[in-house]
């Protein structure tokens, strides 16, 4: 069984539509894929409708969080998408992305970059708007050669010249909300230090005590020492260990199934979840 528990579609900042994503996941030989767009479940219906035979969809989202001034991401799996408290928080975070993107565009204009909201909105389509969309606009304008090159202190990196913070949920609150909606909470790429400061192990221990289910260990942004350290921490704290591609289509270099999750861990995630169940594909359109 090949299980990839973290992917993005055009419902946020990936470049494949949800339907394309599940078709590619099946073609890549995956048995299970989780769709985890940033702060939204909007892609789920399309992915379910297109789900090929032999592929199982795990519904999820990646929630934007911040603790002690450090941004972090919480993967939420198999929660009830209609549960009102988690839904309200997702909408708050997602909706705040719009004025925040406008703020970053204003800062870029102040730096002499002629990017416009219309351009960014065209790139984002109806997806939850984020820095990768603005970065794509900067590539179009010839300001930077690649999307990645926009994630530097000169431009959009955390604390960078054109960066604006968005509303982000306290992760202890996120865990409470995810559990309240019957979901499973996994700390995404906890050691992705290229992206800025990371959450200290003492806080991961507190999150574990507050009900965190697992940590994502096998991820492109973790080197081997970071993975070993996280594996040890997970063992000490009794956390599940996952692996995933964090696929974003052509906006990032990783491929579907680049890293995967052990079937036993996947089984445990599905046993813990009560808000939704994995859906086996019936051969969608
Ligand atoms: P936002 O949610 O708008 O703050 O944007 C953060 C997203 O940008 C992350 O979820 C990543 O998908 C993406 N990202 C962060 N760093 C990089 C990078 N160096 N290159 C490409 N994408 C990145
Ligand atoms: Zn993303
Ligand atoms: Fe993330
Ligand atoms: Fe992600």
């Amino acid at each position: 069984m090949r299980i990839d528990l973290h992917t993005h579609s055009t419902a946020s900042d990936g470049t494949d539509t949800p339907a394309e994503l599940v078709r590619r996941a099946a073609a890549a030989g995956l048995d299970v894929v989780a769709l985890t767009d940033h702060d939204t479940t909007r892609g789920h219906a399309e992915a379910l409708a297109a789900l090929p035979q032999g592929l199982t969809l795990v519904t999820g989202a990646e929630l934007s969080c911040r603790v002690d001034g450090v941004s972090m991401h919480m993967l939420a799996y198999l929660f009830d998408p209609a549960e009102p408290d988690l839904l309200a928080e997702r909408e708050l975070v997602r909706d705040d992305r719009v004025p925040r993107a406008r703020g970053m565009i204003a800062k870029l204009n102040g730096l002499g970059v002629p990017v416009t909201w219309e351009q960014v909105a065209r790139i984002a389509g109806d997806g939850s708007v984020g820095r990768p969309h603005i970065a794509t606009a900067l590539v179009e304008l010839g300001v930077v050669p690649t999307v990645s090159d926009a994630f530097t202190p000169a431009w959009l990196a955390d604390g960078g010249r054109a960066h604006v913070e968005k509303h982000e949920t306290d992760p202890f609150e996120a865990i409470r909300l995810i559990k309240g909606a019957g979901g499973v909470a996994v700390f995404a790429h906890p050691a992705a230090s290229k992206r800025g400061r990371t959450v200290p192990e003492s806080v991961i221990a507190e999150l574990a005590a507050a009900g965190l289910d697992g940590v994502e260990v096998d991820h492109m942004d973790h080197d081997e020492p970071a993975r070993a350290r996280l594996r040890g921490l997970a063992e000490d704290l009794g956390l599940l260990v996952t692996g995933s591609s964090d696929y974003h289509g052509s906006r990032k270099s990783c491929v579907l199934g680049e890293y995967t999750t052990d079937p036993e861990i996947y089984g445990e995630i599905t046993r813990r979840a009560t808000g939704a169940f994995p859906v086996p594909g019936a051969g969608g359109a």
Side-chain angles (χ1 to χ4, degrees), residues 22 88 112 132 196 210 212 253 260 262-263:
V22 291
L212 179 71
S253 61
T260 56
D262 187 281

Side-chain angles (χ1 to χ4, degrees), residues 28-102:
L30 291 176
D31 300 285
V32 178
V33 71
L35 180 59
T36 54
D37 277 304
H38 297 286
D39 308 307
T40 186
T41 59
R42 186 188 251 154
H44 292 173
E46 185 186 318
L48 286 167
L51 201 60
Q53 195 124 34
L55 179 68
T56 292
L57 183 72
V58 168
T59 50
E62 186 177 18
L63 308 179
S64 304
C65 295
R66 183 160 63 228
V67 59
D68 301 332
V70 180
S71 290
M72 55 165 283
H73 293 167
M74 187 73 77
L75 290 160
Y77 296 116
L78 300 172
F79 55 87
D80 172 3
E83 190 285 318
D85 294 344
L86 179 55
L87 176 62
E89 185 64 19
R90 270 197 317 278
E91 286 180 343
L92 187 70
V93 176
R94 198 189 59 219
D95 293 350
D96 190 55
R97 286 172 166 278
V98 173
R100 179 252 200 165
R102 287 183 179 274

Side-chain angles (χ1 to χ4, degrees), residues 252-275:
K252 267 191 183 173
S253 61
C254 55
V255 297
L256 280 162
E258 185 163 333
Y259 298 104
T260 56
T261 294
D262 187 281
E264 280 184 30
I265 303 272
Y266 168 62
E268 181 58 25
I269 289 172
T270 62
R271 277 190 291 279
R272 289 187 191 185
T274 57

Side-chain angles (χ1 to χ4, degrees), residues 38 73 97 100 130-132 148 151 166 195 248 252:
H38 297 286
H73 293 167
R97 286 172 166 278
R100 179 252 200 165
R131 281 181 281 175
S148 249
F151 283 86
K166 61 185 177 296
R195 300 186 186 197
H248 278 71
K252 267 191 183 173

Side-chain angles (χ1 to χ4, degrees), residues 5-285:
L5 291 182
H6 183 169
T7 70
H8 297 268
S9 74
T10 50
S12 65
D13 54 10
T15 57
D16 290 357
T17 64
E20 286 165 351
L21 183 111
V22 291
R23 287 190 203 113
R24 288 215 172 121
L30 291 176
D31 300 285
V32 178
V33 71
L35 180 59
T36 54
D37 277 304
H38 297 286
D39 308 307
T40 186
T41 59
R42 186 188 251 154
H44 292 173
E46 185 186 318
L48 286 167
L51 201 60
Q53 195 124 34
L55 179 68
T56 292
L57 183 72
V58 168
T59 50
E62 186 177 18
L63 308 179
S64 304
C65 295
R66 183 160 63 228
V67 59
D68 301 332
V70 180
S71 290
M72 55 165 283
H73 293 167
M74 187 73 77
L75 290 160
Y77 296 116
L78 300 172
F79 55 87
D80 172 3
E83 190 285 318
D85 294 344
L86 179 55
L87 176 62
E89 185 64 19
R90 270 197 317 278
E91 286 180 343
L92 187 70
V93 176
R94 198 189 59 219
D95 293 350
D96 190 55
R97 286 172 166 278
V98 173
R100 179 252 200 165
R102 287 183 179 274
M104 289 192 280
I105 290 164
K107 282 194 170 182
L108 287 164
N109 293 160
L111 293 166
V113 178
V115 60
T116 63
W117 167 249
E118 286 65 33
Q119 184 187 8
V120 172
R122 168 179 55 74
I123 292 164
D126 59 6
S128 161
V129 64
R131 281 181 281 175
H133 301 120
I134 300 176
T136 301
L138 296 183
V139 173
E140 284 183 3
L141 291 166
V143 174
V144 288
T146 72
V147 165
S148 249
D149 291 299
F151 283 86
T152 59
W155 303 110
L156 300 174
D158 287 359
R161 290 190 301 169
H163 178 239
V164 175
E165 288 187 344
K166 61 185 177 296
H167 173 80
E168 294 173 317
T169 309
D170 174 272
F172 293 92
E173 172 71 358
I175 289 169
R176 197 185 66 72
L177 291 167
I178 293 164
K179 300 276 154 163
V184 175
V186 173
F187 190 163
H189 47 73
S193 52
K194 275 189 308 196
R195 300 186 186 197
R197 283 164 60 210
T198 58
V199 172
E201 291 190 359
S202 58
V203 174
I204 300 181
E206 289 169 25
L207 292 169
L212 179 71
D213 291 287
V215 282
E216 192 178 48
V217 172
D218 290 312
H219 184 281
M220 66 182 302
D221 290 350
H222 292 165
D223 58 18
E224 205 38 67
R227 289 178 204 191
R229 197 162 28 77
L230 280 171
R231 254 183 249 287
L233 184 69
E235 176 141 12
D236 291 347
L237 298 174
L239 293 169
L240 304 174
V241 161
T242 68
S244 64
S245 64
D246 202 355
Y247 176 74
H248 278 71
S250 62
R251 214 164 258 137
K252 267 191 183 173
S253 61
C254 55
V255 297
L256 280 162
E258 185 163 333
Y259 298 104
T260 56
T261 294
D262 187 281
E264 280 184 30
I265 303 272
Y266 168 62
E268 181 58 25
I269 289 172
T270 62
R271 277 190 291 279
R272 289 187 191 185
T274 57
F277 299 94
V279 181

